[in-house]
């Protein structure tokens, strides 16, 4: 019976029943244009509206400062769609049995279908709605909010969004894509709390041992250990004990528990995704979307819009892909170059502060440079985000994707990759290169032969990475929330003030109900515009946050806690923004969160690699273990129970003789605080004191770092794979449910065949 339905033009289908006609004054879409237009614009507008009328659409025009065209699709669209997908036995009586639920679902589906038809309808010049909007024939097009239902969504917050009924309401009003976004965001927020607990415990453990760390004790007591100057001019030799507080703070998160926390986060990221896949399978099964196919849905919508349409076939161009790859690589190189420029600024700021006449700036030159570098990095993120979006859109246009879904996937990969390099290029330098490529006293690496590269603190560079992460993540989360809410709110208030009439005048309407339509349409028009990528932006923001939460989490264990509090605000702001500040989103059908799931999995793998590098390279964990189990007091025969790291600080510092220091004046007058002449100074590295080449200890530590990195990443990745295998993506109950449906369907078909076969 399903196959006998012909997809005739909508104008050939009569209205079957009043039950399928929308309620009076209930319109699917509104097109807005200027009241005064040129002859060419007016001709194209009327031609486009005529094309819609030929397809059976009902159009009502209301004139105000703008001209509004209400669009209502014929009831045939919902009938065709239900016959083609998932509901071949759809009966009109179902609307009478459950009128409210069925009408809500019908409205959501109608809006989605009408949006597709509007954007695929062509006029004689082959122009579509998007082209006409670029020529200002139409200003905008949007579906209408239903005011009586908006109060329900204002109840959404991080505690109530888990409510099954509320997620269902979201699906019926905004479509499956938005409902899945809130379902995923709720799930992600809850599991963030699980990840935040061990991070808090790690920091508490560091506080409990704040004054008992052997390394910190040695640094605080090293008032006779003279360190080499931090710059070439005006920078004095300084006692190691000056950095006592720095060393204690570093121990808060660089301690024995850091490795366990990094392994836990690798396991957490995997289990979280696997459990989400199970949760998603339950949800889409309840929505009857388990076997739904997006490509088939697009073909059906195209045929409903135009039965004679040509299928847009898959295409592939090696030339286009090569051009896109070259341009994309070039853009990544530019982003890395901008990160290097920020690093140069940090170096210059460090030198300026170190040479300052102010003792405050001299003593805190390195910390202030790190803070200023982080702020500059954040400002570059704000600027480059818009640039990255334009570049990604341009590259997607070169690829000429076949469908909107394909375009969205391509755009997501490109924007996320560009944003990843924008956010993390400078952080990667701090994590893996700061203090490791700067040379040594007497032979420093310099920028343009003038400015020395920065050095790490004797306690390591992990605190620099912590500060960089904390500043960027805090600024991004707080300012993003303010921008995300205050900007739409301000724009909405301005539009309301501009639209407010100066005097009360009445426009004559053919029917009294038109006044209510006008009021409703004007209210929707005053709201902020949404695009097809509005939800895309929300997902992208969460992906960047997830990157901060997992990548380099070993250096910033409080990242999950910060993300948890941020998401509590995010859920609330998103709900308010969608129903009070923005026009209604066009509902989109979906059975998962799309390409973002693959992005999350890629971030999980990057997190394992990055955290392994942080522990093995950035942290002092490996050098400490090498010292403890090779030359420390615990390995001596006369071991008396002292701490195994006793003497580690002295062992990790190399000696440089001041007579080899070329750029320091009045070497003969150099004296320490006691008055003794300074003949040598110490610096952080493993080098010989005669020719300043790498010592044997350097190669021991280097080998240990490499071995640990390989072992950590293999163990963590194995744990991820085992967890992914152990937790099935789809619950057994859901699999069996759909297996039984397939069994019953095939059995029924065989039974019908047997009944119709003559023996």
């Amino acid at each position: 019976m399903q196959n006998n339905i012909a997809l005739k033009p909508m104008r050939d289908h009569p209205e079957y029943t009043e039950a399928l006609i929308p309620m009076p004054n209930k319109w699917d879409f509104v097109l807005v244009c200027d009241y005064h237009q040129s002859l060419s614009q007016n001709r194209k507008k009327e031609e486009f509206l005529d094309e819609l009328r030929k397809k059976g659409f009902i159009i009502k025009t209301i004139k105000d400062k703008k001209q509004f065209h209400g669009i209502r699709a014929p009831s045939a669209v919902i009938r065709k769609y239900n016959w083609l997908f998932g509901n071949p036995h759809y009966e009109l009586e179902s609307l009478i049995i459950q009128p409210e639920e069925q009408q809500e679902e019908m409205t959501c589906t109608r809006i989605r279908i009408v949006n597709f038809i509007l954007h695929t309808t062509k006029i004689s010049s082959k122009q579509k709605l998007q082209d006409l909007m670029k020529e200002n024939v139409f200003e905008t097009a949007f579906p209408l909010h239903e005011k009586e239902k908006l109060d329900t969504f204002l109840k959404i917050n991080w505690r109530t969004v888990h409510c099954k009924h509320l997620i269902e309401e979201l699906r019926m009003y905004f479509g499956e894509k938005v409902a899945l976004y809130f379902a995923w965001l709720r799930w992600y927020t809850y599991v963030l709390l699980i990840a935040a607990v061990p991070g808090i415990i790690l920091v508490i453990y560091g506080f409990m041992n704040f004054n008992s760390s052997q390394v910190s004790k040695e640094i605080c007591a090293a008032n006779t250990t003279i360190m080499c100057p931090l710059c070439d001019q005006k920078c004095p030799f300084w006692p190691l004990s000056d950095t006592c507080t720095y060393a204690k703070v570093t121990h808060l998160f660089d301690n024995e528990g850091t490795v366990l926390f990094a392994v836990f986060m690798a396991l957490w990221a995997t289990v979280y995704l696997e459990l989400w896949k199970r949760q998603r399978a339950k949800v889409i099964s309840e929505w009857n979307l388990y076997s739904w196919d997006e490509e088939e849905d697009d073909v059906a919508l195209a045929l409903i819009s135009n039965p004679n349409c040509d299928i847009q076939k898959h295409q592939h161009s090696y030339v286009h892909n090569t051009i896109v790859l070259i341009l994309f690589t070039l853009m990544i190189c530019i982003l890395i170059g901008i990160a290097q420029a920020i690093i140069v600024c940090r170096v210059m700021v460090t030198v300026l502060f170190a040479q300052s006449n102010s003792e405050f700036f001299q003593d805190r030159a390195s910390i202030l440079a790190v803070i200023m570098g982080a702020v500059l990095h954040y400002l570059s993120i704000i600027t480059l985000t818009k640039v990255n979006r334009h570049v990604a859109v341009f590259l997607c246009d070169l690829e000429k994707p076949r469908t909107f879904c394909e375009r969205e996937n391509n755009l997501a990969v490109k924007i996320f990759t560009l944003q990843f390099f924008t956010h993390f290029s400078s952080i990667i330098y701090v994590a893996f290169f700061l203090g490791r490529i700067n040379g040594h006293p007497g032979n420093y690496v310099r920028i343009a032969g003038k400015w020395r590269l920065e050095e790490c603190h004797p306690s390591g560079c992990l605190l620099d990475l912590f500060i960089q992460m904390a500043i960027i993540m805090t600024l991004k989360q707080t300012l993003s929330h303010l921008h995300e809410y205050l900007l739409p709110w301000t724009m909405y208030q301005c539009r309301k003030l501009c639209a407010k009439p100066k005097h009360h005048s009445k426009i004559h309407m053919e029917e009294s109900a038109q006044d209510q339509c006008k009021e409703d349409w004007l209210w929707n028009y005053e709201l902020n515009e949404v695009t097809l990528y509005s939800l895309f932006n929300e997902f992208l923001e969460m992906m960047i946050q997830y990157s901060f939460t997992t990548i380099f989490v070993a250096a910033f264990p409080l990242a999950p806690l910060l993300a948890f509090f941020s998401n509590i605000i995010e859920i609330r702001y998103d709900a308010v923004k969608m129903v009070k500040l923005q026009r209604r989103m066009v509902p989109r059908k979906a059975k998962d969160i799309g390409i973002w799931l693959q992005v999350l999995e890629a971030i999980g793998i990057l997190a394992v690699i990055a955290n392994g590098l942080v522990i093995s390279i950035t942290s002092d964990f490996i050098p400490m273990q090498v010292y403890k189990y090779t030359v420390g007091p615990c390995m001596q025969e006369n071991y008396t129970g002292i701490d195994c790291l006793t003497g580690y600080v002295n062992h990790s510092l190399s000696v440089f003789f001041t007579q080899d220091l070329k750029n320091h004046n009045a070497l003969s007058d150099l004296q320490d605080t006691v008055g003794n002449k300074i003949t040598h100074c110490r610096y952080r590295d493993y080098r010989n004191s005669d020719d300043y080449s790498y010592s044997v200890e350097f190669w021991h530590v280097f080998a240990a770092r490499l071995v640990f990195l390989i072992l950590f990443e293999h163990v963590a990745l194995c744990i991820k794979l085992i967890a992914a295998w152990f937790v099935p993506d789809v619950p057994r109950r859901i699999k069996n449910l759909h297996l039984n449906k397939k069994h019953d369907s095939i059995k029924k078909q065989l039974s019908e065949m047997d009944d119709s076969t003559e023996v």
Side-chain angles (χ1 to χ4, degrees):
M1 183 176 180
Q2 185 176 355
N3 296 331
N4 293 331
I5 292 192
L7 292 173
K8 299 179 181 179
M10 295 174 189
R11 63 179 182 271
D12 296 337
H13 287 279
E15 299 293 331
Y16 286 90
T17 174
E18 292 298 325
L20 284 177
I21 297 178
M23 296 173 62
N25 300 321
K26 193 170 185 179
W27 301 87
D28 302 321
F29 247 83
V30 172
L31 295 173
V32 183
C33 60
D34 289 329
Y35 186 71
H36 300 287
Q37 292 182 316
S38 65
L39 292 177
S40 175
Q41 289 176 326
N42 190 65
R43 180 184 59 79
K44 290 182 178 181
K45 179 191 72 173
E46 293 300 330
E47 185 178 354
F48 184 81
L49 295 178
D50 286 341
E51 288 294 327
L52 294 179
R53 292 188 182 97
K54 291 176 183 178
K55 294 182 177 183
F57 280 71
I58 301 173
I59 300 175
K60 181 171 71 173
T61 301
I62 294 179
K63 296 181 180 180
D64 195 66
K65 292 182 179 180
K66 299 286 183 178
Q67 200 166 25
F68 298 87
H69 301 281
I71 307 295
R72 184 170 66 188
S75 59
V77 296
I78 189 69
R79 185 181 59 82
K80 288 180 180 179
Y81 191 83
N82 277 280
W83 271 96
L84 288 172
F85 286 101
N87 195 6
H89 304 293
Y90 178 81
E91 298 293 344
L92 300 179
E93 289 80 1
S94 62
L95 294 177
I96 301 174
I97 298 173
Q98 294 178 323
E100 185 176 353
E101 182 179 353
Q102 292 290 344
Q103 287 179 14
E104 285 181 7
E105 185 172 6
M106 183 183 72
T107 300
C108 186
T109 303
R110 287 176 67 95
I111 292 174
R112 187 166 62 88
I113 296 174
V114 170
N115 176 73
F116 185 91
I117 296 174
L118 286 176
H119 284 83
T120 55
T121 298
K122 299 179 182 179
I123 59 177
S124 59
S125 60
K126 303 299 181 183
Q127 290 178 299
K128 299 180 182 179
L129 178 61
Q130 201 66 30
D131 303 316
L132 297 177
M133 291 173 69
K134 290 179 181 178
E135 294 184 1
N136 294 323
V137 175
F138 292 103
E139 178 185 332
T140 186
F142 53 85
L144 297 170
H145 273 300
E146 300 172 63
K147 291 184 178 180
E148 65 277 8
K149 298 177 182 177
L150 297 183
D151 290 340
T152 301
F153 306 119
L154 291 177
K155 301 175 183 177
I156 294 177
N157 56 52
W158 76 283
R159 292 189 299 268
T160 61
V161 76
H162 72 281
C163 177
K164 181 179 177 181
H165 173 71
L166 195 54
I167 294 294
E168 182 65 19
E169 291 284 344
L170 282 168
R171 181 181 79 90
M172 301 293 284
Y173 190 83
F174 288 108
E176 288 80 2
K177 194 79 171 181
V178 172
L180 281 171
Y181 166 73
F182 276 102
W184 171 79
L185 185 56
R186 180 265 304 177
W187 186 264
Y188 170 47
T189 303
Y190 272 101
V191 296
L192 272 176
L193 188 59
I194 299 174
V197 172
I200 297 172
I201 294 174
L202 181 65
V203 175
I204 292 175
Y205 173 79
F207 269 111
M208 292 174 62
N209 296 276
F210 189 76
N211 295 314
S212 60
S213 168
Q214 179 62 31
V215 176
S216 300
K217 287 180 180 179
E218 291 188 3
I219 291 177
C220 293
N223 52 6
T224 59
T225 302
I226 304 301
M227 303 298 293
C228 296
L230 296 175
C231 66
D232 296 329
Q233 293 87 22
K234 294 186 179 181
C235 290
F237 292 87
W238 52 283
L240 179 59
S241 57
D242 285 354
T243 58
C244 175
T245 304
Y246 197 108
K248 290 181 178 180
V249 173
T250 300
H251 186 69
L252 290 178
F253 44 87
D254 186 9
N255 51 57
E256 296 80 1
T258 305
V259 178
L260 295 177
F261 179 63
V263 174
F264 168 81
M265 287 302 295
L267 178 63
W268 170 86
T270 302
V271 173
Y272 148 65
L273 284 181
E274 295 303 317
L275 292 178
W276 161 248
K277 291 175 186 177
R278 292 173 61 86
Q279 179 68 16
R280 163 219 158 239
K282 295 178 183 177
V283 171
I284 65 170
S285 179
E286 293 173 356
W287 294 348
N288 295 321
L289 293 176
Y290 191 84
S291 302
W292 176 77
D293 182 74
E294 187 161 12
E295 185 175 61
E296 187 179 3
D297 190 79
D298 287 339
V299 173
L301 290 176
L303 288 172
I304 290 175
S305 175
N306 180 10
N308 301 317
C309 70
D310 296 326
I311 298 177
Q312 193 173 2
K313 298 182 179 179
H314 295 277
Q315 296 179 349
H316 183 270
S317 172
Y318 289 103
V319 175
H320 283 167
N321 287 355
T322 302
I323 294 173
V324 168
L325 182 60
I326 293 173
L327 294 176
F328 191 64
T329 305
L330 179 62
M331 185 62 191
I332 291 176
C333 292
I334 292 173
L335 294 177
I336 295 175
I338 293 174
Q340 300 308 310
I342 295 174
I343 293 166
V344 173
C345 290
R346 280 184 50 164
V347 172
M348 295 174 62
V349 168
T350 303
V351 174
L352 291 174
F353 282 155
Q355 295 178 354
S356 172
N357 295 324
S358 171
E359 185 177 346
F360 175 83
F361 290 114
Q362 285 183 2
D363 296 341
R364 298 165 179 82
S366 297
I367 293 295
L368 291 174
V370 170
I371 295 174
M372 287 198 66
V375 173
L376 282 175
H377 186 189
Y378 176 74
L379 294 176
S380 72
I381 290 173
I382 295 176
T383 305
L384 291 173
T385 295
K386 296 181 179 180
V387 177
N388 291 340
R389 185 174 297 276
H390 288 298
V391 171
V393 170
F394 172 74
L395 294 178
C396 280
D397 291 338
L398 289 180
E399 288 181 314
K400 298 180 179 179
R402 191 179 66 88
T403 62
F404 174 78
C405 180
E406 187 177 326
R407 179 183 178 83
E408 186 181 44
N409 290 345
N410 293 347
L411 190 64
V413 173
K414 289 177 177 60
I415 288 186
F416 174 77
T417 304
L418 295 176
Q419 287 291 86
F420 180 85
F421 279 95
T422 301
H423 284 78
F424 288 99
S425 292
S426 182
I427 294 176
I428 289 172
Y429 167 79
V430 174
F432 306 132
F433 297 99
L434 178 62
R436 291 167 184 82
I437 58 174
N438 61 312
H440 60 85
N443 188 26
Y444 283 112
V445 176
R446 302 177 185 275
I447 298 175
K450 186 177 180 181
W451 297 293
R452 277 171 46 181
L453 291 180
E454 302 167 89
E455 296 182 44
C456 276
H457 180 268
S459 298
C461 288
L462 203 62
L463 184 57
D464 293 339
L465 181 58
F466 175 88
I467 294 172
Q468 186 95 351
M469 291 278 293
I471 291 176
I472 293 175
M473 191 171 181
T474 303
L475 285 176
K476 181 169 177 56
Q477 298 298 332
T478 53
L479 297 183
S480 291
H481 286 318
L482 292 175
H483 176 269
E484 186 178 347
Y485 183 78
L486 289 181
L487 183 61
W489 182 84
T490 304
M491 292 176 64
Y492 173 55
Q493 296 300 325
C494 291
R495 290 170 69 92
K496 283 180 63 178
L497 290 175
C498 294
K500 190 174 182 180
K502 296 181 180 179
H503 55 85
H504 298 283
S505 60
K506 295 184 179 180
I507 300 177
H508 297 286
M509 300 289 177
E510 293 181 2
E511 299 177 2
S512 59
Q514 283 184 326
D515 285 330
Q516 183 61 40
C517 280
K518 175 189 171 184
E519 180 184 348
D520 190 31
W521 295 0
L522 283 174
W523 177 76
N524 279 270
Y525 174 70
E526 290 167 2
L527 296 173
N528 293 299
E529 186 176 7
V530 296
T531 66
L532 293 173
Y533 297 106
S534 294
L535 192 63
F536 175 94
N537 297 331
E538 304 295 340
F539 271 114
L540 178 62
E541 181 184 351
M542 288 296 103
M543 294 302 116
I544 297 298
Q545 186 209 76
Y546 184 73
S547 301
F548 275 102
T549 305
T550 53
I551 304 175
F552 302 116
V553 71
F556 189 35
L558 296 179
L561 181 65
L562 188 60
F564 172 75
F565 287 120
S566 175
N567 284 3
I568 292 176
I569 301 173
E570 178 73 22
I571 292 174
R572 182 60 182 165
Y573 277 6
D574 283 346
V576 173
K577 184 174 62 177
M578 286 183 184
V579 301
K580 292 190 69 176
L581 302 177
Q582 288 182 345
R583 296 169 188 164
R584 185 174 184 173
M585 283 188 181
V586 175
R588 288 189 56 196
K589 207 166 189 176
K591 64 177 182 180
D592 54 34
I593 59 175
I595 193 67
W596 301 114
L597 187 61
Q598 283 73 44
V599 172
L600 290 170
E601 291 176 343
I603 293 172
I605 296 174
L606 287 175
V608 172
I609 298 172
N611 286 302
L613 288 169
V614 167
I615 296 171
S616 61
I617 295 178
T618 314
S619 170
D620 269 2
F621 175 77
I622 299 301
M624 287 180 182
Q625 302 309 310
V626 171
Y627 176 81
K628 183 186 295 186
Y629 295 109
T630 55
V631 297
C634 294
M635 302 304 296
Q636 305 298 326
E637 294 181 0
N638 57 349
Y639 173 62
T640 58
I642 62 175
D643 194 290
C644 294
L645 288 176
T646 301
Y648 167 75
V649 173
N650 183 67
H651 180 264
S652 64
L653 299 176
S654 297
V655 177
F656 180 79
F657 293 101
T658 55
Q659 62 185 10
D660 298 327
L661 193 60
K662 301 176 182 178
N663 297 325
H664 205 286
N665 299 322
L667 291 175
S668 59
D669 298 332
L670 294 177
Q671 294 180 345
D672 59 18
T673 55
V674 185
N676 298 322
K677 181 180 178 181
I678 297 176
T679 59
H680 65 275
C681 60
R682 310 297 295 273
Y683 62 99
R684 177 185 168 85
D685 210 340
Y686 290 97
R687 291 181 182 270
N688 297 314
S689 58
D690 49 0
D691 59 355
Y692 305 117
S693 61
Y694 286 122
S695 63
V696 175
E697 288 81 4
F698 171 83
W699 298 109
H700 288 169
V701 172
F702 178 80
R705 291 182 191 274
L706 187 61
V707 170
F708 174 83
L709 178 62
I710 295 173
L711 288 177
F712 176 86
E713 292 185 355
H714 280 71
V715 170
L717 289 175
C718 284
I719 291 174
K720 284 176 65 67
L721 292 174
I722 292 172
W725 165 80
F726 188 77
V727 182
D729 293 352
V730 181
R732 182 182 58 184
R733 179 179 62 83
I734 302 298
K735 286 183 177 180
N736 290 333
L737 175 65
H738 290 278
L739 181 63
N740 290 333
K741 287 183 178 180
K742 291 178 182 178
H743 173 270
D744 295 341
S745 176
I746 295 174
K747 185 177 180 181
K748 182 179 179 181
Q749 291 179 21
L750 290 174
S751 176
E752 292 175 351
M753 183 190 72
D754 292 339
D755 292 341
S756 61
T757 302
E758 296 182 3
V759 180

